[in-house]
């Protein structure tokens, strides 16, 4: 049980970019668990449960001193995982998948983001994909160093937006909404991860 809980703390360390706690134990367990099923087999319900457990594990992990959780801290983390509806083994398997799969991390970010409102709430999945595709092309066409685009670059950029299937006006509406809405940003990142 201790090894499994250290793995849970290690998953937290990977996800949050914190100093690794029990990395060796996680490295031994997570690949085997993660290999049991592809990341696409993780449902949104499982990701939501994982996120709920991870929030509590993060809270407990923040109190860990010396790199090793106490028996009480391990018990608290295990209780959080069990309360989420996931077992320790399933939590560790999902953690391994999240740490190694960009699409799964992006899906988790969408589920974790607050609900969209206004224009962002009305952006369809197709528009998200079109916007993400246009942004890839725009980044390629944009002048280096933040310089103003030449007239030729502006024409090419406008054509890239229209080739994506979005009108320039809708592209601008979505771009404005992306800058203000965390869930829409996460959805665009998910579209990028799926394309990559």
């Amino acid at each position: 049980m201790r090894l499994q809980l250290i793995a849970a703390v290690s998953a937290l360390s990977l996800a949050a970019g914190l100093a690794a706690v029990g990395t060796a134990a996680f490295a031994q367990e997570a690949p085997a668990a993660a290999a049991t099923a592809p990341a696409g087999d993780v449902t949104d319900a499982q990701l939501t449960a994982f996120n709920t457990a991870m929030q509590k594990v993060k809270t407990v992990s923040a109190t860990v001193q010396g790199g090793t959780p106490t028996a009480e801290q391990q018990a608290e983390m295990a209780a959080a995982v069990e309360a989420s509806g996931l077992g320790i083994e399933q939590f560790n398997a999902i953690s391994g998948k999240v740490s190694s799969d960009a699409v799964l991390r992006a899906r988790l970010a969408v589920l974790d983001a607050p609900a969209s409102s206004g224009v962002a709430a009305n952006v369809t999945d197709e528009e998200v994909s079109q916007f993400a595709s246009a942004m890839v092309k725009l980044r390629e066409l944009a002048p280096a160093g933040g310089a103003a685009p030449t007239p030729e670059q502006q024409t090419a950029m406008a054509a890239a937006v229209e080739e994506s299937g979005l009108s320039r006006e809708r592209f601008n509406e979505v771009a404005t909404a992306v800058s203000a809405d965390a869930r829409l940003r996460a959805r665009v990142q998910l579209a990028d991860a799926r394309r990559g």
Side-chain angles (χ1 to χ4, degrees), residues 97-170:
K97 291 174 186 178
V98 166
S99 69
S100 66
D101 186 283
V103 172
L104 201 53
R105 280 191 305 278
R107 283 179 52 207
L108 184 59
V110 170
L111 292 171
D112 194 38
S116 295
S117 61
V119 172
N122 295 319
V123 177
T124 66
D125 289 340
E126 181 180 8
E127 288 174 323
V128 166
S129 180
Q130 292 167 325
F131 178 82
S133 176
M135 286 303 297
V136 168
K137 292 178 184 172
L138 292 177
R139 284 185 208 110
E140 293 170 1
L141 294 169
T150 65
E152 294 80 18
Q153 288 170 321
Q154 288 178 348
T155 300
M157 292 168 94
V161 167
E162 291 177 3
E163 287 171 13
S164 75
L166 291 174
S167 68
R168 283 185 262 171
E169 294 76 22
R170 184 60 175 162

Side-chain angles (χ1 to χ4, degrees), residues 66-91:
T68 304
T70 65
E72 183 179 289
Q73 290 167 325
Q74 288 181 42
E76 194 174 347
M77 288 185 282
V81 170
E82 296 292 336
S84 74
L86 300 174
I88 299 293
E89 189 174 306
Q90 187 178 27
F91 176 85

